[in-house]
Amino acid sequence: MNTGIIRALLRRLPVGAPADDTGLKRVLGAGSLVALGVGVTIGAGLFSLTGVAAGSNAGPAVLISFVLAAVACAFAGLCYGELAGMIPAAGSAYVYAYAALGELAGWIIGWDLVLEYTVGASAVSVSWARYMRSLLDGWGIHLSPRLTASPFEVVGMAGGQPVHGIANVPAVFIIVVLSVLLMRGISESARLNAIVVAIKLAVIAAVIGFGLPYIKIANYTPFIPPNTGEFGHYGLSGILRAAGTIFFAYLGFDAVSTVAQETRNPGRDMPIGLMGSLAICTFVYIAFSFVLTGLVNYRDMIGDAAPVATAIDHTPFGWLQAAVKLGIICGFLSVILVLLLGQSRVFFAMARDGLLPPMFGRTHARLGTPVACHLFFMGVTGTLAAFLPIEQLAHMTSIGTLLAFVIVCVGVIVLRVREPDRPRVFRVPGGNLIPVAGIISCGVMMLSLDGLTWLRLVVWLAIGLVVYALYGIRHSRLGAVIPAMRGKS
């Protein structure tokens, strides 16, 4: 590898406030950021992964897993706050890695985030469609099973032969509706998100409040089930594996930081938004998992696709089933909204830096939103949701989030060495102790995840490196294009 290529891979974005010529509008305050964080964080992780992690990994000690994941998030969240004040630009961890570690590191984490948000939004939209179909069935409105499943899913039998789905139309519908809303403007999207967050928090509070009196203390024994001899199957390793699994539930952090360039005062509001949403979500997760494992023995959650519904069956309140279904639908709605928002802002930032085609780096003159990015991901995310059984890929989002957190923590340390005199509106206290703790805690949880999840990450990053070599390195806004490479293009 010649020195020109090495210099290209290591060139860094200048640290400092970017010029407000991107077309994005600074309209969000701390309250909106907290609502965005809660909106994307409380959703699939609460209603599905809590039961999975308790039944297969940690038992009642899943409460400890949520605390461990929250602590790691707090370390990373504080680091996000420091970098957001120094670099108040759209793009989140991508921009921070680009400024601290160089272009190659920025590209890797940006490419990672694109997959994280795209797969996450697709998976949650499929789950949303299933709950919506169930709700419509209860109202006497029956959709064709073939139009609510992918071609790889069997929806019935005809003449002794399996009948497969055609496309998941409801999942595509909700992606299109939310994408159009995001194209109209960030203010409208934030208002809808705030309403949805209020509804689902009220439903969750009802489940916790009405479920508490029916808890069976015996279900908490043993609180930490003994390990079966297999790593991650109960015991201390089970708590750690559960923490890594439910990290999907804390995806909201990175999504919040993607809108730094649409925040009125990112140096002040971003730390409030990050840590405020973390505090609310951690309390909700711990309280909810406490009630869930108290109502249902953890052994009965193994393989249960609807552990919350099973838990409610242990109470005399049948109406709670409908309320929870509404809460889940609202929960998934806000998750999809913020994930679509996050992926478009990362793509927008990468295009503004020349690493992707320039059409994705422009905003609509009147709407002030990156319409091309939204249209592109509306197509990609909608296609995945329509034609693939995407749920299994949702595990990819956990390792993607953890990788982003590690890079951000590293970025804080590096910039303190490279830019020691640069003004910091917010500085993580305790020197490098918290960034190092964030690196270690997130790294340990990454190592606890299974080999298939790691393989998916490596394959996706390898594809990204090919894209970067063919386009990004040649068109980067920083520095001149390498003559020898241009000659070959």
Side-chain angles (χ1 to χ4, degrees), residues 25 27-28 31-40 174-198 259 262 330 333-342 344-345 367-370 374:
K25 299 177 181 179
V27 296
L28 301 178
S32 297
L33 295 178
V34 171
L36 285 174
V38 173
V40 72
I174 196 59
I175 288 172
V176 171
V177 169
L178 294 180
S179 295
V180 171
L181 177 66
L182 288 167
M183 282 184 256
R184 288 180 56 82
I186 188 69
S187 297
E188 292 83 353
S189 304
R191 281 194 289 270
L192 173 64
N193 180 71
I195 295 171
V196 171
V197 166
V259 295
E262 291 157 278
C330 289
L333 194 67
S334 60
V335 172
I336 300 168
L337 177 74
V338 183
L339 289 177
L340 291 173
L341 172 65
S344 68
R345 295 313 185 260
L367 301 176
T369 57
H374 286 301

Side-chain angles (χ1 to χ4, degrees), residues 105-437:
W107 171 269
I108 288 174
I109 201 64
W111 190 253
D112 166 63
L113 291 175
V114 167
L115 177 66
E116 174 187 324
Y117 291 135
T118 302
V119 171
S122 300
V124 177
S125 69
V126 170
S127 297
W128 179 90
R130 288 179 178 174
Y131 277 99
M132 196 65 196
R133 177 187 172 187
S134 175
L135 185 65
L136 292 176
D137 285 343
W139 293 346
I141 302 174
H142 303 290
L143 302 178
S144 169
R146 298 196 69 191
L147 296 179
T148 58
S150 79
F152 298 95
E153 296 174 280
V154 177
V155 297
M157 300 292 293
Q161 298 296 320
V163 177
H164 293 266
I166 298 175
N168 195 327
V169 176
V172 176
F173 169 78
I174 196 59
I175 288 172
V176 171
V177 169
L178 294 180
S179 295
V180 171
L181 177 66
L182 288 167
M183 282 184 256
R184 288 180 56 82
I186 188 69
S187 297
E188 292 83 353
S189 304
R191 281 194 289 270
L192 173 64
N193 180 71
I195 295 171
V196 171
V197 166
I199 293 173
K200 67 179 176 182
L201 286 180
V203 171
I204 291 168
V207 173
I208 294 173
F210 287 103
L212 275 172
Y214 299 93
I215 285 176
K216 296 180 180 179
I217 302 300
N219 286 334
Y220 297 120
T221 304
F223 185 71
I224 302 179
N227 183 263
T228 61
E230 177 185 352
F231 181 88
H233 201 241
Y234 307 125
L236 296 179
S237 66
I239 294 174
L240 187 61
R241 171 65 63 81
T245 300
I246 61 178
F247 217 85
F248 175 78
Y250 289 101
L251 181 61
F253 272 126
D254 195 82
V256 171
S257 62
T258 61
V259 295
Q261 204 157 343
E262 291 157 278
T263 303
R264 288 191 291 268
N265 187 353
R268 178 183 67 86
D269 295 340
M270 194 59 66
I272 295 174
L274 291 166
M275 303 312 294
S277 59
L278 173 64
I280 293 172
C281 295
T282 301
F283 173 78
V284 170
Y285 277 134
I286 291 174
F288 194 86
S289 59
F290 176 78
V291 172
L292 190 67
T293 54
L295 290 173
V296 182
N297 189 280
Y298 72 92
R299 299 179 186 86
D300 296 330
M301 295 185 194
I302 300 175
D304 189 351
V308 179
T310 303
I312 294 173
D313 287 340
H314 288 72
T315 74
F317 307 110
W319 60 269
L320 266 183
Q321 288 280 10
V324 167
K325 195 172 294 185
L326 175 62
I328 291 174
I329 290 174
C330 289
F332 286 167
L333 194 67
S334 60
V335 172
I336 300 168
L337 177 74
V338 183
L339 289 177
L340 291 173
L341 172 65
Q343 69 183 182
S344 68
R345 295 313 185 260
V346 172
F347 219 61
F348 172 80
M350 296 174 75
R352 293 281 299 184
D353 293 330
L355 303 183
L356 292 170
M359 62 177 292
F360 297 115
R362 304 189 186 106
T363 55
H364 191 277
R366 180 174 60 85
L367 301 176
T369 57
V371 172
C373 289
H374 286 301
L375 288 173
F376 176 76
F377 281 111
M378 182 175 72
V380 173
T381 310
T383 300
L384 291 175
F387 299 114
L388 292 179
I390 202 72
E391 304 98 304
Q392 295 301 321
L393 293 179
H395 294 289
M396 184 69 196
T397 59
S398 291
I399 195 169
T401 303
L402 287 164
L403 177 59
F405 284 8
V406 169
I407 294 296
V408 167
C409 293
V410 171
V412 168
I413 298 173
V414 171
L415 284 179
R416 285 179 175 180
V417 175
R418 287 180 164 171
E419 306 275 352
D421 300 324
R422 179 71 59 178
R424 288 164 170 79
V425 182
F426 170 80
R427 180 183 287 269
V428 178
N432 289 333
L433 179 62
I434 288 178
V436 170

Side-chain angles (χ1 to χ4, degrees), residues 241 245 395 399 446-456:
R241 171 65 63 81
T245 300
H395 294 289
I399 195 169
M446 285 183 72
L447 293 174
S448 74
L449 296 173
D450 61 89
L452 183 58
T453 299
W454 275 93
L455 178 61
R456 289 168 178 157

